[in-house]
Amino acid sequence: YNKIKGNFESLTVDGKEILDKPIDVNIWRAPTDNDRKLKLEWFRAGYDRVATRAYDTEYQVEENKVVIRTTSSLAAKALQKVIDMDTTWEVTNGGEIHFKMNVKKDMEFPELPRFGLRLFLKNEFENVSYYGVGPEESYVDKCRCGCHSLYNANVVDLYEDYIKPQENGSHVDCDYITLASKDLVFAAVSQKTFSFNASVYTQEELTEKKHNFELEASGSTVLCLDYAQNGIGSNSCGPVLKQEYKLNEESFTFEMKMLFQKL
């Protein structure tokens, strides 16, 4: 656990590392065609380059678990902080990690692209099962063509191949998701439904590249577990996003349980 960042930089199961990179708090998405005006505000706000900074971390060992509490913020260099966070992590002897993040946003900043955690799992975690809106991609304002059900897919099949790379492949209203390798299953579950995205591409890669044929896979299974995403809207040529679909709450709580099981 990194006390400077306030996140886990390594997770092992029976001595086997399952992460390629540290877990991070994630508010960025690769701008969509409909974000073409809003993305200018996002870039000015530094949303594409924020980093987590922890101010204080305490822990205590309780029966069958360790409890870690961290106070932290998200900010880009040379800019005021966007978000304050109070996070509690509970790690049990059985391999469960339960986190609760109390979040407060500075309302001087524009609406957020997304808010959640991003995990770089080993690429062997390629078999996805989720109970949510599918089988095609879905967002808070782009989901009427989907059905809420149980779906199974390979990570590469969740990618939506837009000619100009952008955010893609999200699934909303999920109760749980699992990603399985040959001998291990990672699961995330929440009492409040969430959205997720699993991809071989990073959001930085999707932001930078101009054409789909230029994309290079990251070598990891990039998993975004989102409290929510900003809606898609129609502002490439139409009105701005409706208020009800904006991710612009001043305060909210993001809570989830993650666990690992051997097959």
Side-chain angles (χ1 to χ4, degrees), residues 24 26 28-30 32 113-121 125-126 128-130 133 135-139 153-162 166-174 176-179 186 188 194-204 206 218 220-229 232 254 256:
D24 59 6
N26 185 32
W28 184 247
R29 77 177 183 201
T32 68
R114 69 174 354 130
F115 183 90
L117 293 183
R118 181 167 62 159
L119 291 77
F120 290 83
L121 299 170
F125 289 89
E126 59 181 0
V128 182
S129 178
Y130 65 95
V133 178
E136 308 302 330
E137 65 177 6
S138 57
Y139 296 83
N154 191 284
V155 169
V156 295
D157 296 327
L158 296 177
Y159 170 66
E160 296 286 347
D161 189 21
Y162 292 106
Q166 55 195 283
E167 161 65 28
N168 69 90
S170 175
H171 292 277
V172 297
D173 202 29
C174 290
Y176 71 85
I177 175 180
T178 67
L179 288 96
F186 166 84
F194 60 94
S195 66
F196 85 91
N197 168 281
S199 177
V200 299
Y201 302 113
T202 66
Q203 58 206 31
E204 290 84 359
L206 295 169
S218 66
S220 304
T221 292
V222 185
L223 174 65
C224 295
L225 300 171
D226 293 326
Y227 165 78
Q229 267 201 62
I232 297 300
F254 182 34
M256 181 175 283

Coordinates of all heavy atoms in Angstrom, one line a residue, residues 24 26 28-30 32 113-121 125-126 128-130 133 135-139 153-162 166-174 176-179 186 188 194-204 206 218 220-229 232 254 256:
D24 N -5.2 3.1 -9.4 CA -5.3 4.6 -9.3 C -6.8 5.0 -9.3 O -7.6 4.4 -9.9 CB -4.5 5.3 -10.4 CG -4.9 5.0 -11.8 OD1 -5.9 4.3 -12.0 OD2 -4.2 5.4 -12.7
N26 N -9.5 7.3 -10.9 CA -9.6 7.6 -12.3 C -10.8 8.6 -12.6 O -11.9 8.3 -12.3 CB -9.8 6.3 -13.1 CG -9.7 6.5 -14.6 OD1 -9.1 7.4 -15.1 ND2 -10.5 5.7 -15.3
W28 N -10.6 10.4 -15.8 CA -10.5 10.7 -17.2 C -11.1 9.7 -18.1 O -11.1 8.5 -17.8 CB -9.0 10.9 -17.6 CG -8.8 11.3 -19.0 CD1 -8.2 10.6 -20.0 CD2 -9.1 12.6 -19.6 NE1 -8.1 11.3 -21.2 CE2 -8.7 12.6 -21.0 CE3 -9.7 13.7 -19.1 CZ2 -8.9 13.6 -21.8 CZ3 -9.9 14.8 -20.0 CH2 -9.5 14.7 -21.3
R29 N -11.6 10.1 -19.3 CA -12.0 9.2 -20.3 C -11.5 9.8 -21.6 O -11.4 11.0 -21.8 CB -13.5 9.0 -20.4 CG -14.3 10.1 -21.0 CD -15.8 9.7 -21.1 NE -16.6 10.7 -21.7 CZ -17.9 10.8 -21.5 NH1 -18.5 10.0 -20.7 NH2 -18.6 11.7 -22.1
A30 N -11.2 9.0 -22.6 CA -10.8 9.5 -23.9 C -12.0 10.2 -24.5 O -13.1 9.6 -24.7 CB -10.4 8.4 -24.8
T32 N -15.1 11.6 -26.4 CA -15.9 11.1 -27.5 C -16.1 12.3 -28.6 O -15.8 13.4 -28.3 CB -17.3 10.6 -27.1 OG1 -18.0 11.7 -26.6 CG2 -17.1 9.6 -25.9
P113 N -15.5 13.7 -16.3 CA -15.7 12.7 -17.3 C -16.2 11.4 -16.7 O -17.1 10.7 -17.3 CB -14.3 12.5 -17.9 CG -13.6 13.8 -17.6 CD -14.1 14.2 -16.3
R114 N -15.6 11.0 -15.6 CA -16.0 9.8 -14.8 C -15.4 9.9 -13.4 O -14.6 10.7 -13.1 CB -15.4 8.5 -15.6 CG -13.9 8.4 -15.5 CD -13.2 7.2 -16.0 NE -13.9 6.1 -16.5 CZ -13.7 5.5 -17.7 NH1 -12.8 6.0 -18.5 NH2 -14.4 4.4 -18.0
F115 N -15.8 8.9 -12.6 CA -15.1 8.8 -11.3 C -15.1 7.3 -11.0 O -16.1 6.6 -11.0 CB -15.8 9.5 -10.2 CG -15.0 9.4 -8.9 CD1 -14.0 10.3 -8.6 CD2 -15.2 8.4 -8.0 CE1 -13.2 10.2 -7.4 CE2 -14.5 8.2 -6.8 CZ -13.5 9.1 -6.6
G116 N -13.9 6.8 -10.6 CA -13.8 5.4 -10.2 C -12.4 5.0 -10.0 O -11.5 5.8 -9.8
L117 N -12.2 3.7 -10.0 CA -10.8 3.1 -9.9 C -10.4 2.5 -11.2 O -11.2 2.0 -11.9 CB -10.8 2.0 -8.8 CG -11.0 2.5 -7.3 CD1 -10.8 1.3 -6.4 CD2 -10.0 3.6 -6.9
R118 N -9.1 2.5 -11.5 CA -8.6 1.8 -12.6 C -7.5 0.8 -12.2 O -6.6 1.1 -11.5 CB -8.0 2.8 -13.6 CG -7.4 2.1 -14.9 CD -7.1 3.1 -16.0 NE -6.1 4.1 -15.6 CZ -5.3 4.7 -16.5 NH1 -5.6 4.6 -17.8 NH2 -4.4 5.6 -16.2
L119 N -7.7 -0.4 -12.7 CA -6.8 -1.5 -12.3 C -6.1 -2.0 -13.6 O -6.8 -2.2 -14.6 CB -7.5 -2.7 -11.7 CG -8.0 -2.5 -10.2 CD1 -9.3 -1.7 -10.2 CD2 -8.3 -3.8 -9.6
F120 N -4.8 -2.3 -13.6 CA -4.1 -2.9 -14.7 C -3.8 -4.3 -14.3 O -2.8 -4.7 -13.7 CB -2.8 -2.1 -14.9 CG -2.9 -0.8 -15.5 CD1 -3.2 0.3 -14.7 CD2 -2.9 -0.6 -16.9 CE1 -3.4 1.6 -15.2 CE2 -3.0 0.7 -17.4 CZ -3.3 1.8 -16.6
L121 N -4.8 -5.2 -14.6 CA -4.7 -6.6 -14.3 C -3.8 -7.3 -15.3 O -3.6 -6.8 -16.5 CB -6.0 -7.3 -14.3 CG -7.1 -6.8 -13.3 CD1 -8.4 -7.4 -13.6 CD2 -6.6 -7.1 -11.9
F125 N -6.2 -12.2 -17.4 CA -7.6 -12.0 -17.0 C -8.4 -11.5 -18.2 O -8.6 -10.3 -18.3 CB -7.6 -11.0 -15.8 CG -7.1 -11.6 -14.5 CD1 -5.8 -11.5 -14.2 CD2 -7.9 -12.2 -13.6 CE1 -5.3 -12.0 -13.0 CE2 -7.5 -12.7 -12.4 CZ -6.1 -12.6 -12.1
E126 N -8.8 -12.4 -19.0 CA -9.4 -12.0 -20.3 C -10.9 -12.5 -20.4 O -11.6 -12.0 -21.4 CB -8.6 -12.6 -21.4 CG -8.5 -14.1 -21.4 CD -7.6 -14.6 -22.6 OE1 -7.1 -13.8 -23.4 OE2 -7.5 -15.9 -22.7
V128 N -14.6 -12.3 -19.3 CA -15.4 -11.4 -18.5 C -16.8 -11.9 -18.4 O -17.4 -12.4 -19.4 CB -15.5 -10.0 -19.2 CG1 -16.3 -9.0 -18.4 CG2 -14.1 -9.4 -19.4
S129 N -17.4 -11.8 -17.2 CA -18.8 -12.1 -17.0 C -19.3 -10.9 -16.2 O -18.7 -10.5 -15.2 CB -18.9 -13.4 -16.2 OG -20.3 -13.7 -15.9
Y130 N -20.5 -10.4 -16.6 CA -21.1 -9.3 -15.8 C -22.6 -9.4 -15.9 O -23.2 -9.9 -16.8 CB -20.6 -7.9 -16.4 CG -21.0 -7.6 -17.8 CD1 -22.2 -6.9 -18.1 CD2 -20.3 -8.1 -18.9 CE1 -22.6 -6.6 -19.4 CE2 -20.7 -7.9 -20.2 CZ -21.8 -7.1 -20.5 OH -22.2 -6.8 -21.8
V133 N -26.2 -4.0 -18.2 CA -26.8 -3.7 -19.5 C -25.8 -4.0 -20.6 O -24.7 -3.5 -20.7 CB -27.2 -2.2 -19.5 CG1 -27.8 -1.9 -20.9 CG2 -28.3 -1.9 -18.5
P135 N -25.8 -6.5 -24.7 CA -24.4 -6.8 -24.9 C -23.6 -5.7 -25.5 O -22.4 -5.7 -25.4 CB -24.5 -8.0 -25.8 CG -25.7 -7.8 -26.7 CD -26.7 -7.1 -25.8
E136 N -24.2 -4.7 -26.1 CA -23.5 -3.6 -26.7 C -23.1 -2.6 -25.6 O -23.6 -2.7 -24.5 CB -24.3 -2.9 -27.8 CG -24.8 -3.9 -28.9 CD -23.7 -4.7 -29.6 OE1 -22.6 -4.1 -29.7 OE2 -24.0 -5.8 -30.0
E137 N -22.2 -1.7 -25.9 CA -21.8 -0.7 -24.9 C -23.1 0.1 -24.5 O -24.0 0.3 -25.2 CB -20.8 0.3 -25.5 CG -21.2 1.1 -26.7 CD -20.2 2.1 -27.1 OE1 -19.0 2.0 -26.7 OE2 -20.5 2.9 -28.0
S138 N -23.0 0.6 -23.2 CA -24.1 1.3 -22.7 C -23.6 2.4 -21.7 O -22.6 2.2 -21.0 CB -25.1 0.4 -21.9 OG -24.4 -0.3 -20.9
Y139 N -24.3 3.5 -21.7 CA -24.0 4.6 -20.8 C -25.3 5.1 -20.2 O -26.4 4.7 -20.6 CB -23.3 5.8 -21.6 CG -22.0 5.3 -22.2 CD1 -21.9 4.6 -23.4 CD2 -20.8 5.6 -21.5 CE1 -20.7 4.2 -23.9 CE2 -19.6 5.2 -22.0 CZ -19.6 4.5 -23.2 OH -18.4 4.1 -23.7
A153 N -18.1 -12.5 -22.2 CA -17.3 -12.1 -23.3 C -15.8 -12.2 -23.0 O -15.4 -12.3 -21.9 CB -17.7 -10.7 -23.7
N154 N -15.1 -12.1 -24.1 CA -13.6 -11.9 -24.0 C -13.3 -10.4 -24.0 O -14.1 -9.6 -24.6 CB -12.9 -12.6 -25.2 CG -11.4 -12.6 -24.9 OD1 -10.7 -11.6 -25.1 ND2 -10.9 -13.8 -24.6
V155 N -12.3 -10.0 -23.3 CA -12.0 -8.6 -23.1 C -11.9 -7.9 -24.5 O -12.4 -6.8 -24.7 CB -10.7 -8.4 -22.4 CG1 -10.2 -6.9 -22.5 CG2 -10.9 -8.7 -20.9
V156 N -11.2 -8.6 -25.5 CA -11.1 -7.9 -26.8 C -12.4 -7.7 -27.5 O -12.5 -6.8 -28.3 CB -10.1 -8.8 -27.7 CG1 -8.7 -8.8 -27.1 CG2 -10.6 -10.2 -27.9
D157 N -13.4 -8.5 -27.2 CA -14.7 -8.4 -27.8 C -15.5 -7.3 -27.3 O -16.6 -6.9 -27.9 CB -15.5 -9.7 -27.7 CG -14.8 -10.9 -28.4 OD1 -14.2 -10.6 -29.4 OD2 -14.9 -12.0 -27.9
L158 N -15.1 -6.7 -26.1 CA -15.8 -5.5 -25.6 C -15.5 -4.2 -26.2 O -16.1 -3.2 -26.0 CB -15.6 -5.5 -24.0 CG -16.1 -6.7 -23.2 CD1 -15.7 -6.5 -21.8 CD2 -17.6 -6.8 -23.3
Y159 N -14.4 -4.2 -27.0 CA -13.9 -3.0 -27.7 C -14.9 -2.6 -28.8 O -15.2 -3.5 -29.7 CB -12.5 -3.3 -28.2 CG -12.0 -2.2 -29.1 CD1 -11.8 -0.9 -28.6 CD2 -11.7 -2.4 -30.5 CE1 -11.3 0.1 -29.5 CE2 -11.2 -1.4 -31.3 CZ -11.0 -0.2 -30.8 OH -10.5 0.8 -31.6
E160 N -15.3 -1.4 -28.9 CA -16.1 -0.8 -30.0 C -15.1 -0.1 -30.9 O -14.5 0.9 -30.5 CB -17.2 0.1 -29.4 CG -18.2 -0.6 -28.6 CD -19.2 -1.4 -29.4 OE1 -19.2 -1.3 -30.6 OE2 -19.9 -2.2 -28.7
D161 N -15.0 -0.5 -32.1 CA -14.0 -0.1 -33.1 C -14.4 1.2 -33.8 O -14.9 1.2 -34.9 CB -13.7 -1.2 -34.1 CG -12.4 -0.8 -34.9 OD1 -11.7 0.0 -34.5 OD2 -12.3 -1.4 -36.0
Y162 N -14.3 2.3 -33.1 CA -14.6 3.6 -33.8 C -13.4 4.0 -34.6 O -12.2 3.8 -34.2 CB -14.8 4.7 -32.7 CG -16.1 4.5 -32.0 CD1 -16.1 4.1 -30.7 CD2 -17.4 4.8 -32.6 CE1 -17.3 3.9 -30.0 CE2 -18.6 4.6 -31.9 CZ -18.5 4.1 -30.6 OH -19.7 3.9 -29.9
Q166 N -11.8 6.7 -29.1 CA -12.4 7.4 -28.1 C -13.0 6.5 -27.0 O -12.8 5.2 -27.2 CB -13.6 8.3 -28.7 CG -14.6 7.5 -29.5 CD -15.5 8.4 -30.3 OE1 -16.4 9.0 -29.8 NE2 -15.2 8.5 -31.6
E167 N -13.5 7.0 -26.0 CA -14.1 6.2 -24.9 C -15.1 5.2 -25.6 O -15.9 5.6 -26.4 CB -14.8 7.1 -23.9 CG -15.9 6.3 -23.1 CD -15.3 5.3 -22.1 OE1 -14.1 5.4 -21.7 OE2 -16.0 4.3 -21.8
N168 N -15.1 3.9 -25.1 CA -15.9 2.9 -25.7 C -16.1 1.8 -24.8 O -15.2 1.6 -23.9 CB -15.4 2.5 -27.1 CG -14.1 1.7 -26.9 OD1 -14.2 0.4 -26.8 ND2 -13.0 2.3 -27.0
G169 N -17.1 1.0 -25.0 CA -17.2 -0.3 -24.3 C -17.7 -0.3 -22.9 O -17.6 -1.3 -22.2
S170 N -18.2 0.8 -22.4 CA -18.7 0.8 -21.0 C -20.0 0.0 -20.9 O -20.8 -0.1 -21.9 CB -19.0 2.3 -20.6 OG -19.6 2.3 -19.3
H171 N -20.3 -0.4 -19.7 CA -21.6 -1.1 -19.4 C -22.1 -0.6 -18.1 O -21.4 -0.6 -17.1 CB -21.4 -2.6 -19.4 CG -21.1 -3.2 -20.7 ND1 -22.1 -3.5 -21.7 CD2 -19.9 -3.5 -21.3 CE1 -21.5 -4.0 -22.8 NE2 -20.2 -4.0 -22.6
V172 N -23.3 -0.1 -18.1 CA -23.9 0.6 -16.9 C -24.8 -0.4 -16.2 O -25.1 -1.5 -16.7 CB -24.7 1.8 -17.3 CG1 -23.9 2.9 -17.9 CG2 -25.9 1.5 -18.2
D173 N -25.2 0.0 -15.0 CA -26.2 -0.7 -14.2 C -25.8 -2.1 -13.9 O -26.6 -3.0 -13.9 CB -27.6 -0.7 -14.9 CG -28.8 -0.9 -14.0 OD1 -28.6 -0.5 -12.8 OD2 -29.8 -1.5 -14.4
C174 N -24.5 -2.2 -13.5 CA -24.0 -3.6 -13.2 C -24.1 -3.9 -11.7 O -23.8 -3.0 -10.9 CB -22.5 -3.7 -13.6 SG -22.3 -3.7 -15.4
Y176 N -22.5 -6.9 -10.6 CA -21.2 -7.4 -10.4 C -20.5 -7.7 -11.7 O -21.1 -7.7 -12.8 CB -21.3 -8.7 -9.6 CG -21.8 -9.9 -10.3 CD1 -21.0 -10.7 -11.2 CD2 -23.2 -10.2 -10.2 CE1 -21.5 -11.8 -11.8 CE2 -23.7 -11.3 -10.9 CZ -22.9 -12.1 -11.7 OH -23.4 -13.1 -12.4
I177 N -19.2 -7.9 -11.6 CA -18.4 -8.3 -12.8 C -17.3 -9.2 -12.3 O -16.8 -9.1 -11.2 CB -17.7 -7.0 -13.5 CG1 -16.8 -7.5 -14.6 CG2 -17.0 -6.2 -12.5 CD1 -16.1 -6.4 -15.4
T178 N -16.9 -10.2 -13.1 CA -15.8 -11.1 -12.8 C -14.9 -11.1 -14.0 O -15.4 -11.0 -15.2 CB -16.2 -12.5 -12.5 OG1 -16.8 -13.1 -13.6 CG2 -17.2 -12.5 -11.3
L179 N -13.6 -11.3 -13.8 CA -12.6 -11.5 -14.8 C -11.8 -12.7 -14.4 O -11.2 -12.7 -13.3 CB -11.7 -10.3 -15.0 CG -12.3 -9.0 -15.7 CD1 -12.8 -8.1 -14.6 CD2 -11.3 -8.4 -16.6
F186 N -11.1 -12.7 -10.5 CA -11.2 -11.4 -9.8 C -12.7 -11.0 -9.9 O -13.3 -11.1 -11.0 CB -10.4 -10.4 -10.5 CG -10.7 -9.0 -10.0 CD1 -10.2 -8.4 -8.9 CD2 -11.6 -8.2 -10.8 CE1 -10.5 -7.1 -8.4 CE2 -11.9 -6.9 -10.4 CZ -11.4 -6.4 -9.2
A188 N -15.8 -8.0 -8.6 CA -16.2 -6.7 -8.0 C -17.7 -6.7 -7.9 O -18.4 -7.0 -8.9 CB -15.6 -5.6 -8.8
F194 N -23.1 -0.1 -10.7 CA -22.0 0.7 -11.1 C -21.8 0.4 -12.6 O -22.5 -0.4 -13.2 CB -20.7 0.3 -10.3 CG -20.3 -1.1 -10.5 CD1 -19.4 -1.6 -11.4 CD2 -20.9 -2.1 -9.6 CE1 -19.0 -2.9 -11.5 CE2 -20.6 -3.5 -9.7 CZ -19.6 -3.9 -10.7
S195 N -20.8 1.1 -13.2 CA -20.5 0.9 -14.6 C -19.0 0.4 -14.7 O -18.2 0.6 -13.7 CB -20.7 2.1 -15.5 OG -19.8 3.1 -15.1
F196 N -18.7 -0.3 -15.7 CA -17.3 -0.8 -15.9 C -16.9 -0.7 -17.4 O -17.7 -0.7 -18.3 CB -17.2 -2.2 -15.4 CG -17.5 -3.3 -16.4 CD1 -16.6 -3.8 -17.2 CD2 -18.8 -3.7 -16.5 CE1 -16.9 -4.8 -18.2 CE2 -19.2 -4.7 -17.4 CZ -18.2 -5.2 -18.3
N197 N -15.6 -0.8 -17.6 CA -15.0 -0.9 -18.9 C -13.8 -1.8 -18.8 O -13.0 -1.6 -17.9 CB -14.6 0.5 -19.4 CG -13.8 0.4 -20.7 OD1 -12.6 0.2 -20.6 ND2 -14.3 0.6 -21.8
A198 N -13.7 -2.8 -19.6 CA -12.5 -3.6 -19.6 C -11.9 -3.6 -21.1 O -12.7 -3.8 -22.0 CB -12.9 -5.1 -19.2
S199 N -10.7 -3.3 -21.2 CA -10.1 -3.1 -22.5 C -8.6 -3.5 -22.5 O -7.9 -3.5 -21.5 CB -10.3 -1.7 -22.9 OG -9.7 -1.4 -24.2
V200 N -8.1 -3.7 -23.7 CA -6.6 -3.9 -23.9 C -5.9 -2.6 -24.1 O -4.7 -2.5 -24.1 CB -6.3 -4.9 -25.0 CG1 -6.9 -6.2 -24.8 CG2 -6.8 -4.3 -26.4
Y201 N -6.7 -1.5 -24.3 CA -6.2 -0.2 -24.5 C -6.4 0.7 -23.3 O -7.4 0.7 -22.6 CB -6.9 0.5 -25.7 CG -6.8 -0.3 -27.0 CD1 -7.9 -0.9 -27.6 CD2 -5.5 -0.5 -27.6 CE1 -7.8 -1.6 -28.8 CE2 -5.4 -1.3 -28.8 CZ -6.6 -1.8 -29.3 OH -6.5 -2.5 -30.5
T202 N -5.4 1.6 -23.1 CA -5.5 2.6 -22.0 C -6.3 3.8 -22.6 O -6.4 4.1 -23.8 CB -4.2 3.1 -21.5 OG1 -3.5 3.8 -22.6 CG2 -3.3 1.9 -21.1
Q203 N -6.8 4.6 -21.6 CA -7.5 5.8 -22.1 C -6.6 6.9 -22.6 O -6.9 7.7 -23.5 CB -8.3 6.4 -20.9 CG -7.4 6.7 -19.7 CD -8.2 6.7 -18.4 OE1 -9.2 5.9 -18.2 NE2 -7.8 7.5 -17.4
E204 N -5.3 6.8 -22.2 CA -4.3 7.7 -22.7 C -4.0 7.4 -24.2 O -3.8 8.3 -25.0 CB -3.0 7.6 -21.9 CG -3.0 8.1 -20.5 CD -3.6 7.2 -19.5 OE1 -4.0 6.0 -19.9 OE2 -3.7 7.5 -18.3
L206 N -6.1 5.9 -26.2 CA -7.3 6.3 -27.0 C -7.4 7.8 -27.2 O -8.0 8.3 -28.2 CB -8.6 5.8 -26.3 CG -8.7 4.2 -26.2 CD1 -9.9 3.9 -25.3 CD2 -9.0 3.6 -27.6
S218 N -2.0 -2.3 -24.6 CA -1.2 -2.0 -23.4 C -0.4 -3.2 -22.9 O 0.6 -3.0 -22.1 CB -2.1 -1.5 -22.3 OG -3.0 -2.4 -21.8
S220 N -1.9 -5.2 -20.8 CA -2.6 -5.5 -19.6 C -4.1 -5.6 -19.9 O -4.6 -5.1 -21.0 CB -2.4 -4.4 -18.5 OG -1.0 -4.3 -18.3
T221 N -4.9 -6.1 -19.0 CA -6.3 -6.0 -19.0 C -6.7 -4.7 -18.2 O -6.5 -4.7 -17.0 CB -7.1 -7.2 -18.4 OG1 -6.9 -8.3 -19.3 CG2 -8.6 -6.9 -18.3
V222 N -7.1 -3.7 -18.8 CA -7.3 -2.4 -18.2 C -8.8 -2.3 -17.7 O -9.7 -2.3 -18.6 CB -7.0 -1.2 -19.1 CG1 -7.1 0.1 -18.3 CG2 -5.6 -1.3 -19.7
L223 N -9.0 -2.4 -16.4 CA -10.3 -2.4 -15.9 C -10.7 -1.1 -15.2 O -10.0 -0.8 -14.2 CB -10.5 -3.6 -14.9 CG -11.8 -3.7 -14.2 CD1 -12.9 -4.0 -15.1 CD2 -11.7 -4.8 -13.1
C224 N -11.7 -0.5 -15.6 CA -12.2 0.7 -15.0 C -13.5 0.4 -14.2 O -14.5 -0.1 -14.9 CB -12.5 1.8 -16.0 SG -11.1 2.5 -16.8
L225 N -13.5 0.6 -12.9 CA -14.7 0.3 -12.1 C -15.2 1.7 -11.7 O -14.6 2.4 -10.9 CB -14.4 -0.5 -10.8 CG -13.8 -1.9 -11.1 CD1 -13.3 -2.5 -9.8 CD2 -14.9 -2.8 -11.7
D226 N -16.3 2.1 -12.3 CA -16.8 3.5 -12.2 C -18.0 3.7 -11.3 O -19.0 2.9 -11.4 CB -17.2 4.1 -13.6 CG -16.0 4.2 -14.5 OD1 -14.9 4.5 -14.0 OD2 -16.1 4.0 -15.7
Y227 N -17.9 4.6 -10.4 CA -19.1 5.1 -9.7 C -20.1 5.6 -10.7 O -21.3 5.3 -10.6 CB -18.7 6.2 -8.7 CG -19.9 7.0 -8.2 CD1 -20.7 6.5 -7.2 CD2 -20.2 8.3 -8.7 CE1 -21.8 7.3 -6.7 CE2 -21.3 9.0 -8.3 CZ -22.1 8.5 -7.3 OH -23.1 9.2 -6.8
A228 N -19.6 6.3 -11.7 CA -20.5 6.8 -12.8 C -19.6 7.4 -13.8 O -18.4 7.7 -13.6 CB -21.5 7.8 -12.3
Q229 N -20.2 7.6 -15.0 CA -19.5 8.4 -16.1 C -20.5 9.5 -16.5 O -21.7 9.4 -16.3 CB -19.3 7.5 -17.3 CG -17.9 6.9 -17.4 CD -17.5 6.5 -18.8 OE1 -17.4 7.3 -19.7 NE2 -17.3 5.2 -19.0
I232 N -23.2 10.6 -22.6 CA -22.6 10.8 -24.0 C -23.2 12.0 -24.7 O -22.4 12.8 -25.3 CB -22.8 9.6 -24.9 CG1 -22.1 8.4 -24.2 CG2 -22.3 9.8 -26.3 CD1 -20.6 8.5 -24.1
F254 N -18.7 6.3 -3.0 CA -18.4 5.2 -3.9 C -17.9 4.0 -3.0 O -16.9 4.1 -2.3 CB -17.4 5.5 -4.9 CG -17.1 4.5 -5.9 CD1 -18.0 3.6 -6.4 CD2 -15.8 4.3 -6.5 CE1 -17.8 2.6 -7.3 CE2 -15.5 3.4 -7.4 CZ -16.5 2.5 -7.8
M256 N -17.5 -0.4 -2.7 CA -17.5 -1.7 -3.5 C -16.7 -2.7 -2.8 O -15.8 -2.4 -2.0 CB -16.9 -1.4 -4.9 CG -16.8 -2.5 -5.9 SD -16.2 -2.0 -7.5 CE -17.7 -1.3 -8.2

